[in-house]
Amino acid sequence: MGPAVASEAMSTPILVAVAWPYASGSRHLGHLAGAYLPADVFARYQRLAGNRVLMVSGSDVHGTPITVRADAEGVTPADIVDRYHAEFVSDWDRLGISWDLYTSTGTQNHAEVTHDIFLRLLQNGHIDKRSSEQYFDLEADRFLPDRYIEGTCPHCDYSEARGDQCEDCGRTLDPEELIDPRSKITGSEPILRQTEHFFLRLSDFESDLSEWLDAREGWRPHVLNFSKGWIEDGLQDRAITRDLEWGVDVPVDDLGPGKRIYVWFEAVIGYLSASKEWATNRGEPDAWRDWWENDGARSVYFIGKDNIPFHTIIWPGMLLGYGGLSLPTDVPANNYVTFSGGKASASRGVGLTIGEGLAMFEADAIRYALAASFPEQSDADLSVEEIARRVNEELVATWGNLVNRVLSMVHRTCGGEVPSADGRSEDDLAVLAAVDEAIERVGEQIDRVELRAGIRTGIEAAAAVNVYLNATEPWKLAKSDPERAGVVLGTALAAVAGVRVALSPYLPFSTVLLDGVFGEVAGWARVEPVPGTPVDKPTPMFAKVDLAELMGVEPGGEG
């Protein structure tokens, strides 16, 4: 079979828009499983299927978590941003995340695109100026952005809720809703004081957003239900500026000095500004339009559950108010990842950071274990022990073992080269048909963002090839019927080549290790290995995890 690659004219432009991480601290495996790895698996498949993918994101450098951390460490926000942006870029590289552009909200381009969106919404009457009350810290003599305020959540009684969101129940908050609010700067109780700000008139879009959400098909139920709940409660106009010194400046001077555009408004604009930056970098400044002004394009937003309303209500509202830009095609938000029973959280130090995970496990091992546990429909629990179990019992024992045993037998019994597989039997053709069917099914599952099911289908295909080998016993045929042994092993190699395609979006590093035998994976179809291609004695693709060594525990002892 030849590569299944669509022509440029037949291919679909697909925007893969990925959550922008705050450059305020290390990201953990929960973030990776929630947004970044799912996006990469999806993008890698779509490229192999022949579609034109634009996968963008960047570091959110203006969030108040950054200024909170800078204050705590006695450094500037820029120091914090530079540290963690560099760490993120390194993490993505080590994990094989295949960005078309990973940038930041600190660029001049992002500021210009933010200003354009702001001014158009202002011109169209969807932004207005209002006086409102905002918390003020008398001891610090300053207004407090939302994340500088903590208190008790009015919905779940969590005592460390932030002024913008409760990390425990995930509800979006306004600071005034907190019970017993306190300043993160001084610990004192802030007072409300009048200040003037610009507001986004979200209420203008309530009817249009309701109609749009009602027309969504194939969206995850928890995403639709959460979003429709916001509409049913009535959309509230929200302030989009704050009394800050760190952030994108306001493009009009009506408010006077000391104001900045608030992060929740400008961060989502990053998907558009990054697309424009990518186009400019290519020397084709209008190329972004094919993803943003094209009715035939798709835009899929990969985020965590706590970011749903920003991507299904606020950003679509902003796009409607601006006019002429495509709304999200899908927002397959993942649920939360817990780590050994506790919700993974960078701010609370729960769960492994990406760097800690990569120090323990190979990149493809982490990618496999997380993909097999993606929290697509419900929360998922991770632990070092569970990652190790999946790697050893599934990745190594099923896929790694299959590749090793087939290549070893071919090297040993077929003169160290791919044999001809002419004269295949019905059983031989049946296993190849099963693998081809699995490739097609995995593609369909990934396209529907059922990524957890996709990797399971791929591993089941590998298990089916192992069953075929056990039934045909080529190691015995090598002595009794060498010609038949060659056909069986040639068939097994072709099946391995197909399973490799199905797993390639999930396991990029081990996929390329087999390029010498099978060639590069260049399309979403199985390609027959070329007879006569050298097959060297293989080395294991994956290392088996020694959990006792990993955990620093001697067998039978204590760490």
Side-chain angles (χ1 to χ4, degrees):
M1 297 177 66
V5 179
S7 69
E8 177 96 352
M10 298 277 293
S11 67
T12 301
I14 301 179
L15 175 71
V16 180
V18 194
W20 291 58
Y22 280 129
S24 60
S26 300
R27 300 297 91 180
H28 53 64
L29 295 187
H31 292 117
L32 182 58
Y36 305 101
L37 182 54
D40 187 60
V41 171
F42 181 81
R44 285 176 177 275
Y45 161 72
Q46 296 294 351
R47 293 187 189 106
L48 289 173
N51 292 315
R52 287 175 288 141
V53 171
L54 177 55
M55 177 166 138
V56 296
S57 185
S59 299
D60 183 347
V61 305
H62 292 138
T64 46
I66 294 163
T67 57
V68 169
R69 182 154 199 151
D71 288 345
E73 294 188 15
V75 298
T76 68
D79 292 331
I80 300 296
V81 164
D82 290 346
R83 179 196 312 167
Y84 288 107
H85 178 71
E87 181 180 305
F88 298 166
V89 170
S90 174
D91 286 345
W92 308 143
D93 182 60
R94 295 167 68 194
L95 287 162
I97 307 298
S98 56
W99 305 109
D100 290 288
L101 180 69
Y102 185 81
T103 180
S104 85
T105 58
T107 66
Q108 181 61 32
N109 166 76
H110 177 71
E112 291 170 357
V113 176
T114 298
H115 288 168
D116 177 53
I117 296 282
F118 181 100
L119 292 170
R120 176 77 68 87
L121 290 171
L122 182 66
Q123 177 185 341
N124 290 346
H126 300 305
I127 288 176
D128 59 30
K129 188 172 54 173
R130 306 180 190 181
S131 290
S132 64
E133 290 187 322
Q134 185 177 335
Y135 276 122
F136 188 87
D137 186 327
L138 289 169
E139 293 184 23
D141 192 30
R142 59 179 289 187
F143 282 102
L144 296 175
D146 297 352
R147 287 214 178 191
Y148 279 78
I149 307 160
E150 286 184 341
T152 299
C153 175
H155 304 288
C156 70
D157 295 328
Y158 178 59
S159 63
E160 295 181 18
R162 303 189 308 254
D164 60 346
Q165 191 169 49
C166 175
E167 269 207 343
D168 197 54
C169 70
R171 293 288 290 265
T172 301
L173 300 172
D174 286 319
E176 297 79 11
E177 297 179 73
L178 292 175
I179 300 168
D180 298 325
R182 58 189 178 274
S183 167
K184 284 181 67 76
I185 299 175
T186 64
S188 64
E189 181 178 348
I191 64 168
L192 288 170
R193 180 174 286 185
Q194 284 288 117
T195 184
E196 198 171 38
H197 286 291
F198 282 110
F199 277 67
L200 174 64
R201 298 174 53 88
L202 266 181
S203 56
D204 289 354
F205 313 114
E206 187 171 303
S207 176
D208 287 341
L209 287 172
S210 179
E211 184 178 331
W212 174 70
L213 285 170
D214 285 342
R216 298 309 93 202
E217 295 181 357
W219 280 32
R220 292 179 179 173
H222 69 273
V223 175
L224 267 183
N225 292 339
F226 194 108
S227 305
K228 289 181 178 180
W230 261 55
I231 299 287
E232 290 166 4
D233 289 343
L235 293 184
Q236 303 299 309
D237 301 341
R238 295 172 65 94
I240 59 170
T241 55
R242 280 291 189 269
D243 296 276
L244 291 168
E245 296 178 356
W246 180 254
V248 176
D249 63 322
V250 183
V252 292
D253 58 8
D254 302 35
L255 300 179
K259 311 283 185 177
R260 292 290 187 274
I261 295 177
Y262 203 37
V263 65
W264 70 259
F265 178 84
E266 54 101 352
V268 289
I269 296 172
Y271 303 116
L272 178 60
S273 67
S275 301
K276 292 186 174 185
E277 182 181 342
W278 167 84
T280 299
N281 291 347
R282 285 170 56 90
E284 303 174 51
D286 287 330
W288 63 273
R289 298 182 187 277
D290 209 17
W291 284 266
W292 286 92
E293 299 179 345
N294 180 350
D295 289 341
R298 293 171 64 187
S299 53
V300 185
Y301 288 71
F302 288 85
I303 60 168
K305 181 166 66 175
D306 52 347
N307 277 323
I308 288 173
F310 297 100
H311 294 78
T312 63
I313 301 290
I314 294 172
W315 179 227
M318 293 163 63
L319 292 169
L320 286 170
Y322 186 88
L325 299 176
S326 301
L327 273 62
T329 306
D330 195 7
V331 185
N334 271 347
N335 285 277
Y336 293 133
V337 170
T338 56
F339 203 88
S340 298
K343 184 193 165 194
S345 167
S347 61
R348 289 188 280 170
V350 178
L352 289 179
T353 67
I354 291 174
E356 289 168 343
L358 286 167
M360 289 183 166
F361 304 101
E362 297 170 306
D364 270 2
I366 288 178
R367 289 177 66 108
Y368 175 82
L370 295 188
S373 305
F374 279 153
E376 294 171 348
Q377 302 299 337
S378 60
D379 293 350
D381 191 59
L382 287 175
S383 65
V384 171
E385 292 84 356
E386 176 63 6
I387 294 172
R389 184 196 68 77
R390 284 200 179 274
V391 171
N392 289 341
E393 297 180 12
E394 299 172 14
L395 184 62
V396 175
T398 302
W399 175 229
N401 178 58
L402 171 64
V403 172
N404 194 65
R405 72 190 295 208
V406 170
L407 294 184
S408 293
M409 283 188 284
V410 170
H411 175 75
R412 187 169 59 249
T413 65
C414 299
E417 61 183 38
V418 175
S420 170
D422 292 340
R424 284 173 173 155
S425 70
E426 287 187 7
D427 289 342
D428 304 331
L429 296 174
V431 73
L432 294 179
V435 168
D436 291 341
E437 182 184 346
I439 295 171
E440 183 176 355
R441 190 160 69 252
V442 171
E444 293 169 350
Q445 289 166 329
I446 294 177
D447 193 56
R448 294 194 300 266
V449 202
E450 297 171 1
L451 309 179
R452 187 169 175 169
I455 200 166
R456 184 168 63 247
T457 299
I459 287 294
E460 287 171 352
V465 182
N466 270 318
V467 170
Y468 165 79
L469 286 173
N470 292 338
T472 53
E473 298 182 317
W475 52 90
K476 291 183 179 178
L477 290 172
K479 298 176 182 177
S480 62
D481 189 348
E483 185 176 343
R484 173 63 183 153
V487 173
V488 168
L489 288 173
T491 300
L493 271 177
V496 166
V499 176
R500 173 177 174 246
V501 171
L503 293 175
S504 63
Y506 300 90
L507 307 172
F509 295 100
S510 51
T511 295
V512 300
L513 294 178
L514 301 175
D515 282 0
V517 176
F518 300 112
E520 180 185 356
V521 175
W524 194 250
R526 178 177 58 83
V527 178
E528 283 281 338
V530 178
T533 301
V535 178
D536 296 329
K537 183 179 180 180
T539 55
M541 283 199 301
F542 312 105
K544 189 171 183 180
V545 176
D546 185 331
L547 187 58
E549 180 180 320
L550 199 65
M551 303 295 286
V553 178
E554 294 294 332
E558 295 181 359

